[in-house]
Amino acid sequence: MKVTAIWVYPIKALRGVPLRSAHLGPQGVEYDRRFMLCKVDEDGRLSKIQLDRYPACSRFAQEIVGDEIRVRYQPPEEPLVPSRPQQAVVLRVPLDPDASGLDRQVVNLHQGLVNAYRMGPRFDEWFTACFGFRAALLYIGGERRPVLGTFSPRSQPAAVAAPPASDGWLSRLNGYAWGGRDQHQPGPEPDWLAFSDVAAYLVVSEKSLGNVNARLSGGGADAVKFRPNIVVDGEGEFDEDFWAELSIGGRPTLALTKMCTRCTSLNVDYQTGRFGEGEEGALLKKLMSDRRVDMGSKWAPVFGKYGFLVGDLDGVDISVGDEVVVTKRTAERPVSDWPYKDAKAARFYRYS
């Protein structure tokens, strides 16, 4: 097999940036999902902005130029919000902002809590003008989100008890870390995440994409719809369900742990910034017939595989065209156990 595409998403939920080569680190492709957007509710609370709830995210293009991210809003032919001058401005976001003077606010992303940094009014006002509702840009800096369940080979065990979780208490957090690993616990430091949903990497296969396209009369689904980090050409349709380790460029690189369950983001029409009509809006349903194969998430279809760097690998460089070999397999499909809906499971990363 070969690597056929590499993608990075510096600001979560917006369009990805295609790469010819990339550095892979423990938290993903370099610069992946270091920033995320939230909607600011009337009471000041933050709620995450993701493509499955806000299809307008598909109209924001981003690119990495030097030491900054450049974001362009591209209004569709049928506008989503009233025109404003800011929508024609290219927003420039530093890849490594100085966080020392930024306000902090706790973000709960899929029960993984983190005390993130608010980038400030200039950025918030630009996104607010483009979305049509009050929005905020957040930066993770050096903070860490925990990996819950057994998605990582090096997950931290569930905590016995969490600190108080009232909103008022959370909003006053400043660099809070609690618990701590057993100091006698052997092995490497547990994995952690930036603003990636549940794993550092998502791998998809073009062979499986061909199966999906055969279900559509126009055959028009692109790998972009599935928001992968690494695309490989593949060997067999949905064979990746059973991949456990990939070697890239001749060395073990990715431990693949869980399958990726899918949501209505697949139905977004990237040209209109809305949910698609006809087959454009039926991709998720097309997968329902035979791809609900994760017994831990029985109502959602599966496409792609989540992963982390293997062992103590600190980083590796890969390029499109690199050889990919499946070096470990499983006899059965893995079972999802990320506690998405269990509010009691919400916690911070526990620093040792």
Side-chain angles (χ1 to χ4, degrees), residues 2-324:
K2 301 287 185 183
V3 174
T4 59
I6 306 169
W7 291 86
V8 65
Y9 310 83
I11 301 176
K12 180 181 178 66
L14 307 188
R15 288 193 180 203
V17 179
L19 304 173
R20 294 297 301 174
S21 60
H23 180 74
L24 309 186
Q27 283 68 57
V29 176
E30 188 174 25
Y31 303 126
D32 195 43
R33 294 165 169 105
R34 302 183 75 174
F35 299 84
M36 72 173 288
L37 290 158
C38 285
K39 182 178 182 181
V40 183
D41 297 329
E42 290 184 2
D43 60 4
R45 296 186 185 184
L46 302 183
S47 56
K48 62 182 178 293
I49 292 176
Q50 295 200 159
L51 193 60
D52 61 329
R53 296 183 183 180
Y54 302 95
C57 291
S58 64
R59 300 305 303 167
F60 292 81
Q62 55 183 329
E63 61 179 337
I64 297 174
V65 181
D67 60 357
E68 65 184 16
I69 309 162
R70 296 182 183 175
V71 190
R72 292 174 171 83
Y73 177 61
Q74 302 169 325
E77 185 174 339
E78 183 181 342
L80 296 164
V81 295
S83 177
R84 293 188 179 180
Q86 296 100 313
Q87 295 171 7
V89 174
V90 176
L91 182 68
R92 298 188 174 193
V93 182
L95 276 168
D96 292 297
D98 178 5
S100 60
L102 300 180
D103 292 335
R104 309 290 293 278
Q105 189 153 0
V106 171
V107 174
N108 183 340
L109 181 57
H110 306 311
Q111 313 306 346
L113 303 176
V114 67
N115 198 17
Y117 298 87
R118 293 282 296 264
M119 286 294 290
R122 179 168 71 88
F123 303 95
D124 294 356
E125 289 167 7
W126 188 86
F127 280 106
T128 295
C130 296
F131 277 114
F133 55 75
R134 191 178 170 202
L137 180 66
L138 292 102
Y139 172 56
I140 198 161
E143 300 301 313
R144 305 178 177 190
R145 285 180 52 242
V147 181
L148 305 185
T150 57
F151 272 64
S152 162
R154 297 167 293 278
S155 296
Q156 290 178 324
V160 174
S166 69
D167 291 332
W169 180 85
L170 287 175
S171 66
R172 293 192 298 272
L173 278 172
N174 185 19
Y176 186 87
W178 60 280
R181 278 199 304 151
D182 183 341
Q183 297 302 307
H184 303 290
Q185 180 181 333
E189 181 183 25
D191 278 321
W192 52 276
L193 299 172
F195 287 132
S196 302
D197 280 344
V198 295
Y201 293 93
L202 175 60
V203 178
V204 305
S205 149
E206 288 188 358
K207 186 70 74 170
S208 299
L209 182 63
N211 176 289
V212 174
N213 277 328
R215 307 173 189 217
L216 305 172
S217 60
D222 189 277
V224 170
K225 285 261 193 178
F226 297 90
R227 302 183 66 77
N229 295 114
I230 299 172
V231 183
V232 300
D233 47 11
E235 295 176 336
E237 295 176 355
F238 304 118
D239 188 44
E240 63 271 19
D241 289 2
F242 303 96
W243 297 349
E245 182 184 272
L246 294 182
S247 288
I248 303 177
R251 68 154 301 156
T253 304
L254 293 177
L256 302 183
T257 58
K258 302 289 184 182
M259 299 179 292
C260 179
T261 53
R262 294 298 177 168
C263 64
T264 54
S265 65
L266 297 185
N267 296 339
V268 171
D269 184 339
Y270 278 56
Q271 297 303 310
T272 67
R274 297 171 169 85
F275 287 109
E277 298 179 356
E279 288 203 331
E280 185 74 35
L283 185 52
L284 185 68
K285 184 177 181 180
K286 295 282 186 181
L287 293 175
M288 287 287 190
S289 61
D290 61 348
R291 290 300 298 158
R292 289 184 291 179
V293 294
D294 188 334
M295 293 301 99
S297 184
K298 295 186 292 184
W299 307 113
V302 164
F303 189 97
K305 202 73 179 279
Y306 285 126
F308 297 82
L309 287 187
V310 300
D312 294 325
L313 186 64
D314 291 327
V316 63
D317 296 319
I318 70 167
S319 298
V320 172
D322 282 354
E323 183 180 10
V324 180

